[in-house]
Amino acid sequence: RTLALLGLTLILCSCVEHEPVKASPTWAGIYTIKASSNKEPFPEWNKVKRTTQIPRILGTRFGIEYRLDGSAFKPLIQYRLVWRYPPEGQINPATHLKVAYYEHEDFCITGRICQAGYSFDHEWEMVPGIWYAEIWIDDKRLMQKAFHVQGTEP
């Protein structure tokens, strides 16, 4: 009887553990960092405007909030965040290298709101055109959000 329960537990755990992770966007737009949390590793966002139209202004911060849902047996989900720039890419004047995207590994707690933001800290970062924020697990893209960084047009 114990072996039967153990076997059933292993089958249930292996099925639930491989439950696919789903990504749900909850907000996208322009934000600032709350002054009281500016030095924290995960500063609190002050949501300024829900939009995908981003002005090409130094200091502008924009991003997405999203929720990752998966197995209760895996409460911490590792994923890859990718910011894709327009086709001309970013060219750092110090290195003269063209960069098409930025990516890094991150973690999100199942069912909680997570954030991914971008800040225009240098003039050369502000490439006009369509930018994409993407959430990936392994070779599967779970979510993609497009932002239009406005050029010099009025």
Side-chain angles (χ1 to χ4, degrees):
R1 180 177 156 156
T2 304
L3 286 176
L5 283 175
L6 180 61
L8 181 59
T9 302
L10 288 174
I11 289 169
L12 288 174
C13 287
S14 65
C15 290
V16 173
E17 204 169 313
H18 297 304
E19 193 176 308
V21 174
K22 295 179 180 126
S24 306
T26 59
W27 185 85
I30 298 170
Y31 69 93
T32 59
I33 298 294
K34 291 192 177 178
S36 61
S37 69
N38 198 26
K39 302 277 187 221
E40 295 177 16
F42 302 105
E44 194 175 343
W45 286 12
N46 178 35
K47 297 173 192 171
V48 175
K49 184 178 182 183
R50 181 185 294 264
T51 184
T52 57
Q53 302 298 309
I54 308 302
R56 193 172 174 263
I57 299 171
L58 205 58
T60 299
R61 294 175 185 265
F62 62 100
I64 57 173
E65 285 187 337
Y66 48 93
R67 192 178 71 236
L68 297 181
D69 292 306
S71 167
F73 290 96
K74 292 179 105 178
L76 194 61
I77 299 172
Q78 184 174 4
Y79 67 95
R80 191 169 74 252
L81 168 70
V82 179
W83 282 97
R84 291 197 192 280
Y85 311 131
E88 56 272 19
Q90 290 182 335
I91 300 175
N92 183 332
T95 63
H96 302 288
L97 296 175
K98 177 181 173 179
V99 179
Y101 63 92
Y102 165 80
E103 70 176 88
H104 77 271
E105 298 286 325
D106 212 338
F107 292 91
C108 187
I109 296 173
T110 300
R112 294 233 182 125
I113 299 295
C114 293
Q115 299 171 320
Y118 199 96
S119 174
F120 289 145
D121 298 326
H122 305 282
E123 189 76 31
W124 55 268
E125 293 176 313
M126 303 186 299
V127 180
I130 305 299
W131 289 49
Y132 295 98
E134 301 173 344
I135 304 297
W136 290 77
I137 291 184
D138 299 323
D139 62 348
K140 184 177 181 192
R141 184 177 64 207
L142 302 180
M143 190 180 87
Q144 180 183 61
K145 185 67 178 175
F147 291 93
H148 177 228
V149 174
Q150 299 162 355
T152 55
E153 72 272 5

